[in-house]
Amino acid sequence: MKTLLLFLITVVGVAAAEPEAKTFKAADGTEVLYRFATPAKIESGKKYPLVLFLHGAGERGDDNKAQLKHGVKAILQNAEKLDQPIFLIAPQCPKGGWWADSNKPNVKNGPNSLMDNVLELVEETIKEQSIDKKRVYITGLSMGGFGTWSAIAKKPELFAAAIPICGGGDPATVSEFKKMPIWIFHGDADNVVAPSGSQSMFDALKKAKSDAKFTLYPGVGHDSWTQTYADDEVIKWLFDQTK
């Protein structure tokens, strides 16, 4: 009975270890809803990596919870498995909004300040927390994949590495981040976001003499993120990168 009770406490404890719901007010007055995970123990004088995670279009809203549906849990679990304490920011995009100025390769939606607000949140968090400025990472899926490309084009100096998944961007921007370690993922059977979006970014990066990597999963549709975030070798690669 005692063993069972301890097991139940452990399970409940794991389930309850969810990133904290927070709100950030940007300089322009915009409120950004986000979830914030911190290392279980922060040692005095020690700095830790930060991961910015950008969700897909299906998780937009104002509940400050839907953005946890994909990716976040796997990233945190792999960080724990690798014995790498991290900070993680997972903002939520409002319904009808987009992370990037474009949600399709080379198609502009118009001015979009949301990513500026998110990057402001990241910079404020770096100032306030025990974060290693040389190990700030970004990753996102689908709409968040587009957002990842947009973010590293806007603030390449902020990030040590990027993992854009089933997204796309503007090949004309690759000169901004050609020296950054980037690992791109996409399914070759994706009928929601064409793999050509990732391919064109990879081709442009290789033309710019980048060491970027591209994994195209054979027979995989739009969900190329589940196996990517579940792969501890991918997460290890991310944490191995430093400026």
Side-chain angles (χ1 to χ4, degrees):
M1 186 68 177
K2 186 177 180 181
T3 301
L4 177 60
L5 181 60
L6 288 171
F7 172 76
L8 290 173
I9 290 172
T10 301
V11 171
V12 171
V14 171
E18 189 173 81
E20 182 183 0
K22 298 174 78 71
T23 302
F24 171 73
K25 190 168 185 178
D28 66 3
T30 300
E31 289 193 341
V32 179
L33 301 178
Y34 71 104
R35 290 292 184 130
F36 187 51
T38 64
K41 180 182 179 181
I42 297 176
E43 297 180 28
S44 178
K46 192 169 182 179
K47 301 289 186 178
Y48 301 88
L50 168 66
V51 176
L52 172 61
F53 171 81
L54 302 176
H55 66 74
E59 292 74 63
R60 290 176 293 186
D62 59 5
D63 65 351
N64 204 2
K65 186 175 182 178
Q67 73 267 37
L68 300 177
K69 184 177 181 180
H70 302 296
V72 172
K73 184 177 180 181
I75 292 170
L76 293 174
Q77 285 178 336
N78 269 317
E80 185 175 0
K81 180 180 177 180
L82 294 164
D83 195 25
Q84 175 59 75
I86 65 168
F87 288 90
L88 182 142
I89 293 175
Q92 185 175 35
C93 181
K95 187 176 181 180
W98 302 94
W99 291 127
D101 296 336
S102 169
N103 63 299
K104 292 182 179 180
N106 303 315
V107 176
K108 296 292 183 183
N109 296 329
N112 181 0
S113 63
L114 181 58
M115 181 54 68
D116 294 326
N117 298 145
V118 170
L119 294 174
E120 184 183 340
L121 163 61
V122 171
E123 292 177 316
E124 285 300 310
T125 304
I126 292 171
K127 291 177 185 177
E128 296 172 1
Q129 302 290 339
S130 300
I131 291 168
D132 185 347
K133 293 180 181 179
K134 294 183 177 182
R135 298 179 72 196
V136 178
Y137 310 115
I138 182 169
T139 183
L141 59 95
S142 195
M143 183 184 81
F146 285 92
T148 299
W149 289 115
S150 178
I152 62 176
K154 284 175 177 283
K155 286 271 187 176
E157 71 280 3
L158 188 60
F159 301 103
I163 297 179
I165 304 173
C166 57
D170 182 356
T173 63
V174 301
S175 61
E176 300 295 327
F177 46 79
K178 63 184 180 181
K179 295 182 180 180
M180 183 185 300
I182 299 173
W183 195 348
I184 309 162
F185 292 86
H186 218 121
D188 73 354
D190 192 335
N191 60 2
V192 177
V193 177
S196 58
S198 289
Q199 185 70 59
S200 63
M201 295 302 288
F202 179 66
D203 291 344
L205 281 165
K206 298 312 287 184
K207 188 175 180 179
K209 309 300 182 185
S210 166
D211 291 329
K213 305 199 292 182
F214 182 25
T215 296
L216 188 63
Y217 296 119
V220 172
H222 190 48
D223 180 4
S224 51
W225 56 82
T226 297
Q227 61 185 305
T228 300
Y229 291 132
D231 189 341
D232 59 356
E233 287 301 316
V234 173
I235 306 304
K236 183 180 183 301
W237 172 88
L238 185 67
F239 295 149
D240 283 345
Q241 309 309 313
T242 186
K243 287 198 287 184

Coordinates of all heavy atoms in Angstrom, one line a residue, residues 106-168:
N106 N 7.2 33.3 -49.4 CA 7.2 34.5 -50.3 C 5.9 35.1 -50.4 O 5.6 35.9 -51.4 CB 7.7 34.1 -51.7 CG 9.1 33.5 -51.6 OD1 10.0 34.0 -51.0 ND2 9.3 32.4 -52.3
V107 N 5.0 34.9 -49.4 CA 3.7 35.6 -49.4 C 3.6 36.5 -48.2 O 3.6 35.9 -47.1 CB 2.5 34.6 -49.5 CG1 1.2 35.3 -49.4 CG2 2.5 33.8 -50.7
K108 N 3.4 37.8 -48.4 CA 3.3 38.7 -47.2 C 1.9 38.9 -46.8 O 1.0 39.1 -47.6 CB 4.0 40.0 -47.6 CG 5.5 40.0 -47.9 CD 6.3 39.6 -46.7 CE 7.8 39.6 -47.0 NZ 8.6 39.3 -45.9
N109 N 1.7 38.9 -45.5 CA 0.4 39.2 -44.9 C 0.2 40.6 -44.5 O -0.8 41.1 -44.3 CB 0.1 38.4 -43.6 CG 0.1 36.9 -43.9 OD1 -0.3 36.5 -44.9 ND2 0.6 36.1 -42.9
G110 N 1.4 41.3 -44.5 CA 1.3 42.7 -44.0 C 2.1 42.9 -42.7 O 2.7 41.9 -42.2
P111 N 2.2 44.1 -42.2 CA 3.0 44.3 -41.0 C 2.5 43.4 -39.8 O 1.4 43.2 -39.7 CB 2.8 45.8 -40.7 CG 2.4 46.4 -42.0 CD 1.7 45.3 -42.7
N112 N 3.5 42.9 -39.1 CA 3.2 42.1 -37.9 C 4.1 42.3 -36.8 O 5.3 42.0 -36.9 CB 3.2 40.6 -38.4 CG 2.9 39.6 -37.3 OD1 2.6 40.0 -36.2 ND2 2.9 38.3 -37.6
S113 N 3.6 42.9 -35.7 CA 4.5 43.2 -34.6 C 4.6 42.1 -33.5 O 5.3 42.3 -32.6 CB 4.0 44.5 -33.9 OG 2.7 44.4 -33.4
L114 N 3.8 41.1 -33.7 CA 3.7 40.0 -32.7 C 5.1 39.4 -32.4 O 5.5 39.2 -31.3 CB 2.7 38.9 -33.1 CG 2.6 37.8 -32.1 CD1 2.1 38.3 -30.7 CD2 1.6 36.8 -32.6
M115 N 5.8 39.1 -33.5 CA 7.2 38.5 -33.3 C 8.1 39.5 -32.5 O 8.9 39.1 -31.7 CB 7.8 38.1 -34.6 CG 9.2 37.5 -34.5 SD 9.2 36.1 -33.3 CE 8.2 34.9 -34.2
D116 N 8.0 40.8 -32.8 CA 8.7 41.8 -32.1 C 8.4 41.7 -30.6 O 9.3 41.9 -29.8 CB 8.5 43.2 -32.7 CG 8.9 43.4 -34.1 OD1 9.9 42.8 -34.5 OD2 8.3 44.1 -34.8
N117 N 7.2 41.6 -30.3 CA 6.8 41.5 -28.9 C 7.4 40.3 -28.2 O 7.8 40.3 -27.1 CB 5.2 41.4 -28.8 CG 4.5 42.6 -29.3 OD1 3.4 42.5 -29.9 ND2 5.1 43.8 -29.2
V118 N 7.3 39.1 -28.9 CA 7.9 37.9 -28.4 C 9.4 38.0 -28.2 O 9.9 37.6 -27.2 CB 7.6 36.7 -29.3 CG1 8.3 35.5 -28.9 CG2 6.1 36.4 -29.3
L119 N 10.1 38.6 -29.1 CA 11.5 38.8 -29.0 C 11.9 39.7 -27.9 O 12.9 39.6 -27.2 CB 12.1 39.3 -30.3 CG 12.0 38.3 -31.5 CD1 12.5 39.0 -32.8 CD2 12.8 37.0 -31.2
E120 N 11.0 40.7 -27.6 CA 11.2 41.6 -26.5 C 11.0 40.8 -25.2 O 11.8 41.0 -24.2 CB 10.1 42.7 -26.6 CG 10.2 43.8 -25.5 CD 9.1 44.8 -25.5 OE1 8.5 45.0 -26.6 OE2 8.9 45.5 -24.5
L121 N 10.1 39.9 -25.2 CA 9.9 39.0 -24.0 C 11.1 38.2 -23.7 O 11.6 38.1 -22.6 CB 8.7 38.1 -24.2 CG 8.5 36.9 -23.4 CD1 8.4 37.2 -21.9 CD2 7.3 36.0 -23.8
V122 N 11.7 37.7 -24.8 CA 12.9 36.8 -24.6 C 14.0 37.7 -24.1 O 14.7 37.3 -23.1 CB 13.3 36.2 -26.0 CG1 14.7 35.6 -25.9 CG2 12.3 35.2 -26.5
E123 N 14.2 38.9 -24.6 CA 15.3 39.7 -24.2 C 15.1 40.2 -22.7 O 16.1 40.2 -21.9 CB 15.5 40.9 -25.1 CG 15.9 40.5 -26.5 CD 16.0 41.7 -27.4 OE1 15.0 42.5 -27.5 OE2 17.0 41.8 -28.2
E124 N 13.9 40.4 -22.3 CA 13.6 40.8 -20.9 C 13.9 39.6 -20.0 O 14.4 39.8 -18.9 CB 12.2 41.3 -20.8 CG 11.9 42.7 -21.3 CD 12.8 43.8 -20.6 OE1 12.8 43.8 -19.4 OE2 13.5 44.5 -21.3
T125 N 13.5 38.4 -20.4 CA 13.7 37.2 -19.6 C 15.2 37.0 -19.4 O 15.6 36.6 -18.3 CB 13.0 36.0 -20.3 OG1 11.6 36.3 -20.5 CG2 13.2 34.8 -19.4
I126 N 16.0 37.2 -20.5 CA 17.4 37.0 -20.4 C 18.0 37.9 -19.3 O 18.9 37.5 -18.5 CB 18.1 37.2 -21.7 CG1 17.7 36.1 -22.7 CG2 19.6 37.2 -21.6 CD1 18.1 36.3 -24.1
K127 N 17.5 39.2 -19.3 CA 18.0 40.1 -18.3 C 17.7 39.8 -16.9 O 18.4 40.0 -16.0 CB 17.4 41.5 -18.6 CG 17.9 42.2 -19.9 CD 17.2 43.5 -20.1 CE 17.6 44.1 -21.4 NZ 16.8 45.4 -21.7
E128 N 16.5 39.1 -16.7 CA 16.0 38.9 -15.4 C 16.3 37.5 -14.8 O 16.3 37.3 -13.6 CB 14.4 39.0 -15.4 CG 14.0 40.5 -15.7 CD 12.5 40.5 -15.9 OE1 11.8 39.5 -15.8 OE2 12.0 41.6 -16.2
Q129 N 16.7 36.6 -15.6 CA 16.9 35.2 -15.2 C 18.3 34.8 -15.4 O 19.1 35.4 -16.1 CB 16.0 34.2 -15.9 CG 14.5 34.6 -15.8 CD 13.9 34.3 -14.4 OE1 14.5 33.6 -13.6 NE2 12.8 34.9 -14.1
S130 N 18.7 33.6 -14.8 CA 20.0 33.1 -14.9 C 20.2 32.3 -16.2 O 20.3 31.1 -16.3 CB 20.3 32.2 -13.7 OG 20.2 32.9 -12.5
I131 N 20.2 33.1 -17.3 CA 20.2 32.5 -18.7 C 21.6 32.8 -19.3 O 22.1 33.9 -19.3 CB 19.1 33.1 -19.5 CG1 17.7 32.5 -19.0 CG2 19.2 32.7 -21.0 CD1 16.5 33.2 -19.5
D132 N 22.1 31.7 -20.0 CA 23.3 31.8 -20.7 C 23.0 32.5 -22.1 O 22.4 31.8 -22.9 CB 23.9 30.4 -20.9 CG 25.3 30.4 -21.6 OD1 25.7 31.4 -22.1 OD2 25.9 29.3 -21.6
K133 N 23.5 33.7 -22.3 CA 23.2 34.4 -23.5 C 23.8 33.7 -24.8 O 23.4 33.9 -25.9 CB 23.8 35.8 -23.5 CG 23.1 36.7 -22.5 CD 23.8 38.1 -22.5 CE 23.1 39.0 -21.4 NZ 23.8 40.3 -21.4
K134 N 24.8 32.8 -24.5 CA 25.4 32.1 -25.6 C 24.6 30.8 -26.0 O 25.0 30.1 -26.9 CB 26.9 31.7 -25.3 CG 27.8 32.9 -25.2 CD 29.2 32.5 -24.9 CE 30.1 33.7 -24.8 NZ 31.5 33.3 -24.6
R135 N 23.6 30.5 -25.2 CA 22.8 29.3 -25.5 C 21.3 29.6 -25.5 O 20.6 29.0 -24.7 CB 23.2 28.2 -24.5 CG 24.7 27.8 -24.5 CD 25.0 26.8 -23.5 NE 24.4 25.5 -23.8 CZ 24.2 24.5 -22.9 NH1 24.6 24.6 -21.7 NH2 23.7 23.3 -23.3
V136 N 20.9 30.5 -26.3 CA 19.5 30.8 -26.5 C 19.1 30.1 -27.8 O 19.6 30.4 -28.9 CB 19.2 32.3 -26.5 CG1 17.7 32.6 -26.8 CG2 19.7 32.9 -25.2
Y137 N 18.0 29.3 -27.8 CA 17.6 28.5 -28.9 C 16.2 28.8 -29.3 O 15.4 29.2 -28.5 CB 17.8 27.0 -28.6 CG 19.1 26.6 -28.1 CD1 19.2 26.1 -26.8 CD2 20.3 26.8 -28.8 CE1 20.5 25.8 -26.2 CE2 21.5 26.4 -28.3 CZ 21.6 25.9 -27.0 OH 22.8 25.6 -26.5
I138 N 15.9 28.5 -30.6 CA 14.5 28.7 -31.0 C 14.1 27.5 -31.9 O 14.9 27.0 -32.7 CB 14.3 30.0 -31.8 CG1 12.9 30.2 -32.3 CG2 15.3 30.1 -33.0 CD1 12.6 31.6 -32.8
T139 N 12.8 27.1 -31.7 CA 12.2 26.0 -32.6 C 10.7 26.3 -32.7 O 10.1 26.9 -31.8 CB 12.5 24.6 -32.0 OG1 12.0 23.6 -32.9 CG2 11.9 24.5 -30.6
G140 N 10.2 25.8 -33.7 CA 8.7 25.9 -33.9 C 8.2 25.0 -35.0 O 9.0 24.5 -35.8
L141 N 6.9 24.7 -35.0 CA 6.3 23.8 -35.9 C 5.2 24.5 -36.7 O 4.5 25.3 -36.2 CB 5.8 22.6 -35.2 CG 4.7 22.8 -34.1 CD1 3.3 22.6 -34.7 CD2 4.9 21.8 -33.0
S142 N 5.2 24.1 -38.0 CA 4.2 24.6 -38.9 C 4.2 26.2 -38.9 O 5.2 26.8 -39.3 CB 2.8 24.0 -38.6 OG 1.9 24.2 -39.6
M143 N 3.1 26.8 -38.4 CA 3.1 28.2 -38.3 C 4.3 28.7 -37.5 O 4.9 29.8 -37.8 CB 1.8 28.7 -37.7 CG 1.7 30.2 -37.6 SD 0.2 30.8 -36.7 CE 0.7 30.5 -35.0
G144 N 4.6 27.9 -36.5 CA 5.8 28.2 -35.7 C 7.1 28.0 -36.4 O 8.1 28.6 -36.1
G145 N 7.1 27.1 -37.4 CA 8.3 27.0 -38.3 C 8.5 28.2 -39.1 O 9.7 28.7 -39.2
F146 N 7.4 28.8 -39.6 CA 7.5 30.1 -40.3 C 8.0 31.2 -39.3 O 8.9 32.0 -39.7 CB 6.2 30.5 -40.9 CG 5.8 29.7 -42.1 CD1 5.0 28.6 -42.0 CD2 6.2 30.2 -43.4 CE1 4.6 27.9 -43.2 CE2 5.8 29.5 -44.5 CZ 5.0 28.3 -44.4
G147 N 7.5 31.1 -38.1 CA 7.9 32.1 -37.1 C 9.4 31.9 -36.7 O 10.1 32.9 -36.5
T148 N 9.9 30.7 -36.7 CA 11.3 30.5 -36.4 C 12.2 31.2 -37.5 O 13.2 31.9 -37.1 CB 11.6 29.0 -36.4 OG1 10.8 28.4 -35.3 CG2 13.1 28.7 -36.1
W149 N 11.8 31.0 -38.7 CA 12.6 31.6 -39.8 C 12.5 33.1 -39.7 O 13.5 33.8 -39.9 CB 12.1 31.2 -41.2 CG 12.4 29.8 -41.6 CD1 11.5 28.7 -41.8 CD2 13.7 29.2 -41.8 NE1 12.2 27.6 -42.1 CE2 13.5 27.8 -42.2 CE3 15.0 29.7 -41.8 CZ2 14.6 27.0 -42.5 CZ3 16.1 28.9 -42.1 CH2 15.8 27.5 -42.4
S150 N 11.4 33.6 -39.4 CA 11.2 35.1 -39.3 C 12.0 35.6 -38.1 O 12.6 36.7 -38.2 CB 9.7 35.4 -39.0 OG 9.5 36.8 -38.9
A151 N 12.0 34.9 -37.0 CA 12.7 35.4 -35.8 C 14.2 35.5 -36.0 O 14.8 36.5 -35.6 CB 12.4 34.5 -34.6
I152 N 14.8 34.5 -36.6 CA 16.2 34.5 -36.8 C 16.6 35.5 -37.8 O 17.8 35.9 -37.9 CB 16.8 33.1 -37.0 CG1 16.3 32.5 -38.3 CG2 16.5 32.1 -35.9 CD1 16.9 31.1 -38.7
A153 N 15.7 35.9 -38.7 CA 16.0 36.9 -39.7 C 16.0 38.3 -39.0 O 16.8 39.2 -39.3 CB 15.0 36.9 -40.8
K154 N 15.0 38.4 -38.0 CA 14.9 39.7 -37.3 C 16.0 39.9 -36.3 O 16.6 41.0 -36.2 CB 13.6 39.8 -36.6 CG 12.3 40.0 -37.4 CD 11.1 39.9 -36.6 CE 9.8 40.2 -37.4 NZ 9.7 41.7 -37.6
K155 N 16.4 38.8 -35.6 CA 17.3 39.0 -34.5 C 18.3 37.8 -34.5 O 18.4 37.0 -33.6 CB 16.6 39.0 -33.1 CG 15.9 40.3 -32.8 CD 16.8 41.2 -32.1 CE 16.0 42.4 -31.6 NZ 16.9 43.3 -30.8
P156 N 19.1 37.7 -35.6 CA 20.1 36.5 -35.6 C 21.1 36.5 -34.5 O 21.5 35.4 -34.1 CB 20.7 36.7 -37.0 CG 20.6 38.2 -37.3 CD 19.3 38.6 -36.7
E157 N 21.4 37.7 -34.0 CA 22.4 37.7 -32.9 C 21.9 37.2 -31.6 O 22.7 36.9 -30.7 CB 22.9 39.2 -32.7 CG 21.9 40.1 -32.1 CD 20.8 40.7 -33.0 OE1 20.8 40.3 -34.2 OE2 20.0 41.5 -32.6
L158 N 20.6 37.0 -31.5 CA 20.0 36.5 -30.2 C 20.1 35.0 -30.0 O 20.2 34.5 -28.9 CB 18.5 36.9 -30.2 CG 17.7 36.7 -28.9 CD1 18.3 37.5 -27.8 CD2 16.2 37.1 -29.1
F159 N 20.2 34.3 -31.1 CA 20.1 32.8 -31.1 C 21.3 32.1 -31.4 O 22.1 32.5 -32.3 CB 18.9 32.3 -32.0 CG 17.6 32.9 -31.7 CD1 17.1 34.0 -32.4 CD2 16.9 32.5 -30.6 CE1 15.8 34.5 -32.1 CE2 15.7 33.0 -30.2 CZ 15.1 34.1 -31.0
A160 N 21.6 31.0 -30.7 CA 22.7 30.1 -30.9 C 22.4 29.1 -32.0 O 23.4 28.5 -32.6 CB 23.2 29.5 -29.6
A161 N 21.2 28.7 -32.1 CA 20.8 27.6 -33.0 C 19.3 27.6 -33.2 O 18.5 28.2 -32.4 CB 21.2 26.3 -32.5
A162 N 18.8 27.0 -34.3 CA 17.4 27.0 -34.6 C 17.0 25.6 -35.2 O 17.7 25.0 -36.0 CB 17.0 28.1 -35.6
I163 N 15.8 25.2 -34.9 CA 15.2 24.0 -35.5 C 13.8 24.4 -36.0 O 12.8 24.3 -35.3 CB 15.1 22.9 -34.4 CG1 16.4 22.4 -34.0 CG2 14.3 21.7 -35.1 CD1 16.4 21.3 -32.9
P164 N 13.7 24.8 -37.3 CA 12.4 25.0 -37.9 C 11.8 23.8 -38.4 O 12.4 23.0 -39.2 CB 12.7 26.0 -39.0 CG 14.2 25.8 -39.3 CD 14.8 25.1 -38.1
I165 N 10.5 23.5 -38.1 CA 9.9 22.2 -38.5 C 8.6 22.5 -39.4 O 7.8 23.4 -39.0 CB 9.5 21.4 -37.3 CG1 10.7 21.1 -36.4 CG2 8.8 20.1 -37.7 CD1 10.3 20.4 -35.1
C166 N 8.6 21.9 -40.5 CA 7.5 22.0 -41.5 C 7.0 23.4 -41.7 O 5.8 23.7 -41.6 CB 6.3 21.0 -41.2 SG 5.5 21.2 -39.6
G167 N 7.9 24.3 -41.9 CA 7.6 25.7 -42.2 C 8.2 26.2 -43.5 O 8.3 25.4 -44.4
G168 N 8.5 27.5 -43.5 CA 9.1 28.1 -44.7 C 9.5 29.5 -44.4 O 9.0 30.1 -43.4

